[in-house]
Amino acid sequence: MTELVFKGKEFVWNHHLAVPFRPLVVQAEKGIGEARLDGNLIIQGDNLHALKALMPMYAGKVDCIFIDPPYNTGNEGWAYNDNVNAPMIKEWLNSNPIGIEDGLRHDKWCAMMWPRLRLLHELLAEWGSIWITLDDNEAHRAKILLDEIFGEDAFVANMVWQKRYVANVTALHLSDMHDHVLVYAKNPSEFALGKIGRTEAQAADYKNPDNDPRGPWRAQDLSASKQYQAGIFTITGPDGATFDPPPNRYWRMNRAQYDKWLAEGRISFGVTGKGRPMLKRFLTEAQDGLTPVTWWSHDFAGHNKEATLEMKDIFDGASPFDTPKPKRLISRILELIGDDDALVLDSFAGSGTTAHAVLEANKRDGGSRRFILCEMEDYADRLTAERVRRVINGYAFTGTQKTELARERLNWRSIEKAADLVHKVQAIENLHGHEYDRIKKEVKDGELVVTGEKAVSEQAEGLGGTFTYCTLGDPVELDRILTGEDLPTFEALGPVLYHMATAEVADPAVLNAVDFYLGEASAYILWLIYKPDLEWLKSADAALTLSFARGIHELRPDKKHLVFAPARHVSQRMLDSEGLGVEFAPLPFALYRVERG
């Protein structure tokens, strides 16, 4: 496998392991609804630390990851601020904004992405997938990074998304019209994509000019390029005209199959009966959805201008974010994932589009998808979370809400088939007309745009939902606990120990600081004798005793028990001699014990 070499790689190779755990600190007043860590989350803080903070509860649990990292164009001013503790790398790994003149900006970008991708890989479920938007500045490097971390066989596709539909006339050489969406699966054998729903315009391609009782149909070519000797014969039309396969082509069926289709009325010779023979393919026979393709046009998955207009609608005519992604892009990804109970993670949350798309999908189909957003910039509250608040509760808006329903590039072919185009528009009007005050049709920049318009006064309707807003607490450093320098809460320390000891995720709902209970894993029931009180930790109450061991054994004699505590007043030999199935893990050395194992 080809390896990407970049400066600093040896220092960031396992940097994700050295990142300390930092607990999630709930800021209840900034969220909506009950504060809970197993629901929708918005986390403000360095996304490397935020991803590490999610590990104890969400490792192997995320169904879909969508990220829109810095494109590293040289004009973004993003900063590398990871604290990699190596003197040789500290010379150039600093928090200064990285610009076009930085000769090592590509190395720094790779060094920034590597540990984050490592953690994202661990957070993904075995059936999960990651979708990354990038442009030509880093897409080729990102693919090699992903090949190394996920494996070459995990590559699914490089979607090409048409981010703009009008050429940039100020471009130096060529107008940049697309971005890449790299797609990788955690485990290719367990990953599957759904189908893309058939649009109204696509359904409108099926017509019924002969009033066939089987319903609308579309004509399908009877010839194929694949050599098929049985497909060489002459077809005679209703008026006696004869038809042979086109040059270097063959009928796709043999004579017997053709005669069967003819008897069933499935062969069409056009409205006049003098056209070439075609097969009638009925809409009722079409699959529920279409096989997705790697070309995502702007009318299929949205475009940058659309994203800016969405932001202006929500933020009183302002667009407080320079490079938002359109909601339709992420909605298409959710459609392909096909899981209405999916957990979706976005660790470069930006304007919060991912949360908006998840909430809208739930509103549309009654699903229970959840989102986790991570944003390190200072606008995490005033922009990212504020957008989510507004789309949940509704937002002040007076004017016309516009929803693009169709966009069609006009060319000679479409002009020749103007009747078909009109039919498509009529189908859209029939289907959506009741939802809007009017369906607007306009030709602009060589395109026919169909938009649903609805007058809104004072308040746009909210989508409903809840989320919890969190910041990152101080790092949990176990070797400082007994000195009193760092005393995290039981709820912060417990999931860290649980995950490190079992490689499984803790359930925050079952943590019980009164009983010292952490939860049940596949191999152990786990306990933590701990309070964030230095004097108590030095007392006899903080030690594992024989009576405590006997008590937890009586509760579940069928299971082994692992007890974390600062000290013990009973030997492991005595615990074993009584057959209690209790193992002691000393604090603050529990992490080291687990790592050696």
Side-chain angles (χ1 to χ4, degrees), residues 29-32 42 311 314-316 320 350-352 356 359 373 379-396 467 469:
E29 72 283 359
K30 295 183 178 182
I32 294 178
I42 297 179
M311 293 294 288
I314 298 169
F315 286 95
D316 306 316
S351 66
H356 193 165
L359 292 167
L373 305 187
Y379 54 69
D381 181 18
R382 61 179 170 82
L383 171 59
T384 313
E386 181 60 22
R387 176 180 184 174
V388 180
R389 295 184 193 106
R390 293 188 182 201
V391 299
I392 287 176
N393 292 328
Y395 48 91
F467 77 91
Y469 191 94

Side-chain angles (χ1 to χ4, degrees), residues 559-577:
K559 193 91 171 183
K560 290 183 178 180
H561 299 260
L562 180 63
V563 181
F564 296 101
R568 64 179 174 182
H569 290 166
V570 58
S571 68
Q572 188 64 51
R573 180 176 295 180
M574 180 173 288
L575 294 172
D576 294 341
S577 68

